[in-house]
Amino acid sequence: MGINNFCKLIDPVSPPDTTPQPFDSILVDVQSFLYVAIEFCLESNEDLIFREIAKLTWEQLSKMLNLLFSHNVHDKDSCTLVLAFDGEGVPMKWPTQRQRRAKIHDINGKNLYRYSLFGKNKIALQVERYILSRLKNRFKLRCSQLDVVLCGCQVAGEGEHKLFHVAEALSQKCRRPIIVSVDQDVFVLAFKRIKRYDALQIYRYGKFYNVNQFLNHSLPYESARLLTVSNLFGNDFIPPLVGITPINAPTLHAKLSPDENDE
């Protein structure tokens, strides 16, 4: 999940909104929906459980899309929807993934399906087909032309990274995207790539984070400083040297801010 509690650094200086800014595209990291679906599915037969995971994932996705479209700040004529699933990870991350799997001592029941969500897998493939079959006409009243782009589990790479690659390949259609992901890596990715877009927003757990507002107006120092020290907060490869909490977030910002002695 990237940097733990990274949002805690953003909240004190740029509180998230409950409504979005205008957008022309929606970039969805679907992987987190799969884990939620597995958690809440009730079936035990394998064929039925695959179908229920697909159904529950679709329910989460359609609910989220209805919410975003209900604000009526999107392009009514044309909107692009990018859906990304995790594919095979980069080789340098394989040891980390193996360690995570090794921590699952009981590979039975739902754990078996969580264990399987790496690279090309039957669960993600069925969910992809299920979603695409229902997206065709579902949101026509919201947007006259909804262009759907799928970057599935057959494509190597993590979903949040693939979202940006697809959006930048469709640069004329994705100038003002909303990124939907619970993975906090998307914040650092967005900070690094902000100049490639007219505007960027991140939707996470019911909150809208305006990346442009945070970087250009709210952050009391150059964003390069935050990006430079972000490795100190740890990630999937290295443990944190400094943890982020609501209590120490103001102190971290103060230490990163220039003082009178800075030249």
Side-chain angles (χ1 to χ4, degrees):
M1 299 299 289
I3 301 173
N4 287 331
N5 292 330
F6 194 76
C7 289
K8 304 300 183 185
L9 271 181
I10 300 175
D11 292 347
V13 296
S14 185
D17 297 319
T18 56
T19 57
Q21 298 297 310
F23 61 90
D24 63 3
S25 50
I26 304 170
L27 317 181
V28 185
D29 180 6
V30 187
Q31 198 71 15
S32 59
F33 292 172
L34 294 179
Y35 286 102
V36 173
I38 291 173
E39 180 66 28
F40 286 96
C41 67
L42 300 175
E43 296 288 353
S44 56
N45 175 275
E46 185 166 282
D47 289 336
L48 294 178
I49 201 170
F50 282 9
R51 197 175 307 160
E52 187 178 14
I53 291 170
K55 180 175 179 289
L56 291 172
T57 303
W58 164 249
E59 288 176 356
Q60 295 175 76
L61 177 64
S62 59
K63 181 179 179 181
M64 181 272 299
L65 291 175
N66 275 320
L67 172 67
L68 295 185
F69 286 137
S70 70
H71 291 286
N72 290 316
V73 293
H74 60 285
D75 188 329
K76 306 297 192 302
D77 296 325
S78 177
C79 189
T80 300
L81 173 64
V82 180
L83 305 173
F85 291 75
D86 280 0
E88 185 177 88
V90 295
M92 67 181 296
K93 197 167 183 179
W94 290 348
T96 303
Q97 292 176 334
R98 291 193 190 100
Q99 289 174 8
R100 287 177 178 173
R101 291 188 185 190
K103 292 179 181 179
I104 303 177
H105 301 296
D106 180 19
I107 308 178
N108 292 295
K110 292 182 180 180
N111 279 340
L112 175 63
Y113 302 105
R114 296 187 185 98
Y115 188 93
S116 302
L117 290 179
F118 292 91
K120 184 178 179 180
N121 63 88
K122 291 172 64 176
I123 298 174
L125 289 172
Q126 181 155 333
V127 171
E128 290 170 13
R129 291 193 296 269
Y130 190 96
I131 288 174
L132 290 178
S133 68
R134 282 154 180 77
L135 269 174
K136 291 181 180 178
N137 300 310
R138 180 69 173 80
F139 296 98
K140 274 195 172 181
L141 294 177
R142 300 287 194 178
C143 180
S144 58
Q145 181 178 342
L146 181 64
D147 296 325
V148 180
V149 180
L150 173 68
C151 192
C153 63
Q154 306 97 317
V155 180
E158 294 174 286
E160 66 272 19
H161 291 266
K162 294 196 290 186
L163 287 176
F164 285 97
H165 294 314
V166 173
E168 286 153 23
L170 303 171
S171 58
Q172 297 306 309
K173 294 184 175 182
C174 301
R175 300 304 310 161
R176 305 175 65 86
I178 285 184
I179 303 159
V180 180
S181 177
V182 300
D183 196 319
Q184 298 189 77
D185 279 348
V186 296
F187 287 97
V188 175
L189 292 171
F191 295 170
K192 290 179 178 179
R193 308 170 94 93
I194 186 66
K195 293 182 179 179
R196 305 183 188 190
Y197 302 88
D198 294 336
L200 269 177
Q201 302 172 73
I202 295 172
Y203 178 69
R204 186 174 188 271
Y205 292 130
K207 299 177 181 179
F208 295 93
Y209 292 86
N210 187 326
V211 178
N212 296 73
Q213 174 68 32
F214 174 68
L215 293 180
N216 299 331
H217 303 288
S218 303
L219 195 64
Y221 48 86
E222 292 292 328
S223 60
R225 291 190 177 209
L226 181 57
L227 289 172
T228 299
V229 303
S230 63
N231 287 328
L232 298 178
F233 304 138
N235 53 43
D236 290 336
F237 300 102
I238 57 176
L241 295 178
V242 179
I244 303 172
T245 69
I247 296 175
N248 73 2
T251 302
L252 292 173
H253 282 303
K255 293 298 183 181
L256 289 170
S257 299
D259 58 32
E260 296 178 355
N261 296 322
D262 285 348
E263 295 183 359

